[in-house]
Amino acid sequence: MEPAELARSMLGWYDKHRRVLPWRALPGKTADPYRVWLSEIMLQQTTVATVGPYFEEFLRRWPTTTDLAAADLDAVLHAWAGLGYYARARNLHKCAKTVAEQHGGVFPDNEEQLRQLPGIGAYTAAAVAAIAFDRRATVLDGNVERVMSRLFAVEEPLPSVKPKLRALADTITPERRPGDYAQAVMDLGATVCIPRRPRCGQCPWHDACAARAAGIAETLPRKAAKAEKPIRRGMAFWLINPEGSVLLRRRPESGLLGGMIEVPSSDWLERAAPGLGAVQEQAPVEAAWRMLPGQVRHTFTHFHLELGLAAARFGPKDGDGWKRAEGIWVPVDRLSEHAIPTVMRKVVRHALGSV
DNA sequence: CACACGTGGAT
DNA sequence: TATCCAAGTGT
C-alpha cells in the first residue's frame, strides 16, 4: 500500500475513534502548546490514567508557561510527587523558565528549537511540533515503534533497530494533518496494536500489515533481554522528637529521587539486611533505637529495595540529643505538605501502622 | 551504546 | 508473586 494511502486510512480511523483527553484540542481547534508540552512530559513512560489527575492539578495551579516559570521548584516537586522520574519535574521547571525568559513565554514552533529545551528529547520535540503546531514531524515513541515493527515485519531487536523504524515511520508521515496523524498512530498503538493480543480485526492497516500476514504480530517488536534486577537492602530511621515531629531530609539534587524528601536511611546495598551495626554507624543520632517488625518493599526501574525500619522517640525527659540530628522536623499530620516520593510514603505508612 | 531513572496497572 | 510495560531523556 502506498504511504499516502496508509496515512489516509489512519486519519480516517482517527476521525472515527478519537479519544477525548484533557490536553487534546477539540476537532478543528488549535491545541495549547503549553498543555501539549506539559502532557507530553508527564506521559513519558507513564500511563494516561496515571497522568490525568496530575495534569488537571498542574493546570489549575499553573495555567500558563509563565505561571509555572514563576513557581517555586519545591512546589513543583511537591505537585509531581508520586509520578516518578523526578528529573522530569526539575527539567519541566527549568524549561518553563527558559521559555519565559528566552522566548517571551511562547514555545518555539519547530522541532529544532524545541529539542534545545531541557527535558525535551527527540520524541517530545516532534510531538509538540506536530500536535501543537501541526508541523510535519515524525514521532517515534514505544507505540509507533511497535506499530512500525509490525506493519513492516521488522524482526531485528530494539533498541538497535530504532533508526530503521524511524525511517519507516517517516515515509508514512503526511504533509497534511501531521498532528492528527501523530496522535492517531499513538492511539492505535495504545488501543489496537497493543503489546499482547493485538486487536488486528479493528486495525485500519489490517490488510497492509506484514506481521499479521505472517502470523507474527504479537511477537513484535523484538527486544534485547533485560538485565536482572538486584535486591538492595537498607535501614530507615523513624525518629520522633518531643513535639511529635518526625525527622526528614532532602535528597541530593541529582540521582535517584533527586531533590525529594525522604525518611533518613542507611546506604542501600546489595548484601544481607543491615542489623544493629547499621544503626550504630548510620543512624542520624544516638538513641534508643528499636526495630519495627516487617519491612518495606519497593521496586525501582533497575533494582528491588527492602527497607527495614528502626524507630526511636524522644520524650520530654529524654534530653535534647535529638537536636543534633540533621534534617527537617515535620509534624506527622503535615507530611502531605512535602515532596515525598512513593517509596518514602510506604515507609511512613509502615511506621505509623506500627505504632 | 548502555545505563540510570519511578510508579502503578495488567497479565 | 513475578514480569512486563507505558506518549523517553540525560549522561
Side-chain angles (χ1 to χ4, degrees), chain A residues 132-154:
Chain A
F133 300 108
D134 214 29
R135 298 295 186 110
R136 185 186 181 285
T138 298
V139 298
L140 189 70
D141 71 333
N143 289 307
V144 181
E145 288 173 0
R146 184 169 55 255
V147 172
M148 292 302 140
S149 71
R150 289 173 177 174
L151 178 61
F152 296 102
V154 176

Side-chain angles (χ1 to χ4, degrees), chain A residues 17 153 253 298:
Chain A
H17 299 283
E253 301 218 340
H298 189 79

Side-chain angles (χ1 to χ4, degrees), chain A residues 186-338:
Chain A
M186 291 192 284
D187 270 14
L188 186 84
T191 63
V192 175
C193 196
I194 51 183
R196 275 169 287 197
R197 309 269 307 263
R199 296 158 185 158
C200 299
Q202 303 174 25
C203 183
W205 287 349
H206 175 279
D207 294 343
C209 183
R212 187 205 54 75
I216 59 171
E218 188 166 7
T219 73
L220 300 180
R222 305 230 206 283
K223 296 186 178 180
K226 290 166 189 164
E228 197 173 330
K229 288 179 183 172
I231 301 176
R232 296 187 195 172
R233 298 179 178 86
M235 177 103 67
F237 301 104
W238 183 257
L239 184 62
I240 303 292
N241 73 6
E243 298 165 0
S245 292
V246 62
L247 179 70
L248 300 180
R249 285 180 181 165
R250 185 180 297 278
R251 292 179 62 87
E253 301 218 340
S254 65
L256 188 72
L257 307 175
M260 302 296 283
I261 301 298
E262 67 173 356
V263 176
S265 72
S266 69
D267 297 329
W268 304 347
L269 302 173
E270 291 176 39
R271 52 174 166 76
L276 292 177
V279 174
Q280 299 299 324
E281 294 169 23
Q282 302 199 33
V285 290
E286 261 186 58
W289 294 103
R290 61 190 176 89
M291 295 301 300
L292 299 183
Q295 57 191 352
V296 171
R297 296 169 185 277
H298 189 79
T299 298
F300 294 94
T301 309
H302 51 297
F303 66 92
H304 301 286
L305 178 65
E306 292 179 4
L307 233 35
L309 219 50
R313 173 185 296 275
F314 278 83
K317 302 173 184 174
D318 297 325
D320 57 1
W322 59 275
K323 290 183 177 174
R324 286 197 289 276
E326 304 244 0
I328 54 177
W329 293 97
V330 177
V332 290
D333 59 350
R334 297 182 68 171
L335 292 168
S336 64
E337 297 172 17
H338 295 266

Side-chain angles (χ1 to χ4, degrees), chain A residues 1-9 171-172 205:
Chain A
M1 206 180 289
E2 292 295 314
E5 192 178 339
L6 287 169
R8 198 177 317 124
S9 59
T171 65
I172 309 176
W205 287 349

